């Protein structure tokens, strides 16, 4: 796929996320996808494989919110198989706390499938609002 096609795929994933709907993300994950949460905090690790991403990382993340999490992208840059996105969350946790993290996400798309994601965000906000990544979710992370 071209850089423009890769950018359009990732743009559609974020359109779904902004609307709290759609299956573009799940439908286009490679079986061996790797999502790396960067940094030096409890959420920092690489989630390897669809199950680890969907049930380990995203399963725990989604469980913290009353409704499907919402993330709105505001900048996309694409070159080759890489798409870089700046985005901001717009969420309230089940306990009523705002969770509006700023993200820079680096996506690698290969043959129309999401192969790698590197997440950069405010780790202090993650720990303060969402808490540490729990041991039972780590087991699902693979």
């Amino acid at each position: 796929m071209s850089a423009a096609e890769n950018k359009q795929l990732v743009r559609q994933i974020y359109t779904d996320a902004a609307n709290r709907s759609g299956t573009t993300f799940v439908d286009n994950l490679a079986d061996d996808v790797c999502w790396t949460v960067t940094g030096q905090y409890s959420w920092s690790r690489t989630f390897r494989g669809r199950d680890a991403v969907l049930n380990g990382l995203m399963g725990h993340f989604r469980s913290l919110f009353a409704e499907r999490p919402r993330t709105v992208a505001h900048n996309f840059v694409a070159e080759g198989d890489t798409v870089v996105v700046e985005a901001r969350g717009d969420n309230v946790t089940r306990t009523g706390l705002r969770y509006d993290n700023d993200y820079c996400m680096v996506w690698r798309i290969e043959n129309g499938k999401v192969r790698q994601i590197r997440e950069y965000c405010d780790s202090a906000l993650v720990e303060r609002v969402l808490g540490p990544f729990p041991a039972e979710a780590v087991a699902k992370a693979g």
Side-chain angles (χ1 to χ4, degrees):
M1 291 176 56
S2 70
E5 291 169 315
N6 291 335
K7 184 177 179 180
Q8 183 54 41
L9 171 61
V10 175
R11 186 181 300 274
Q12 185 59 53
I13 290 169
Y14 278 95
T15 297
D16 289 356
N19 294 323
R20 292 186 168 102
S21 65
T23 62
T24 307
F25 177 69
V26 173
D27 293 346
N28 291 282
L29 277 182
D31 289 337
D32 61 347
V33 64
C34 292
W35 184 322
T36 300
V37 178
T38 64
Q40 302 288 320
Y41 65 114
S42 68
W43 291 64
S44 299
R45 64 184 30 82
T46 297
F47 299 84
R48 297 181 190 282
R50 285 177 61 90
D51 187 60
V53 168
L54 295 176
N55 298 314
L57 173 61
M58 296 307 296
H60 176 64
F61 185 77
R62 283 189 311 267
S63 75
L64 300 171
F65 301 95
E67 61 183 319
R68 189 173 181 169
R70 179 172 192 255
T71 304
V72 179
H74 53 86
N75 191 21
F76 295 84
V77 178
E79 184 173 319
D81 64 358
T82 302
V83 181
V84 178
V85 180
E86 289 180 283
R88 182 169 177 83
D90 176 21
N91 300 291
V92 177
T93 67
R94 288 182 185 272
T95 61
L97 297 174
R98 291 291 317 171
Y99 181 72
D100 302 327
N101 212 332
D102 288 303
Y103 298 96
C104 180
M105 306 290 283
V106 181
W107 298 70
R108 187 167 67 80
I109 311 298
E110 188 176 288
N111 298 320
K113 296 291 185 183
V114 176
R115 295 299 297 253
Q116 290 180 334
I117 303 168
R118 287 188 60 80
E119 173 183 329
Y120 300 87
C121 68
D122 180 347
S123 58
L125 177 66
V126 174
E127 294 278 357
R128 186 177 80 249
V129 175
L130 303 183
F133 198 77
E136 61 273 11
V138 171
K140 292 180 185 176

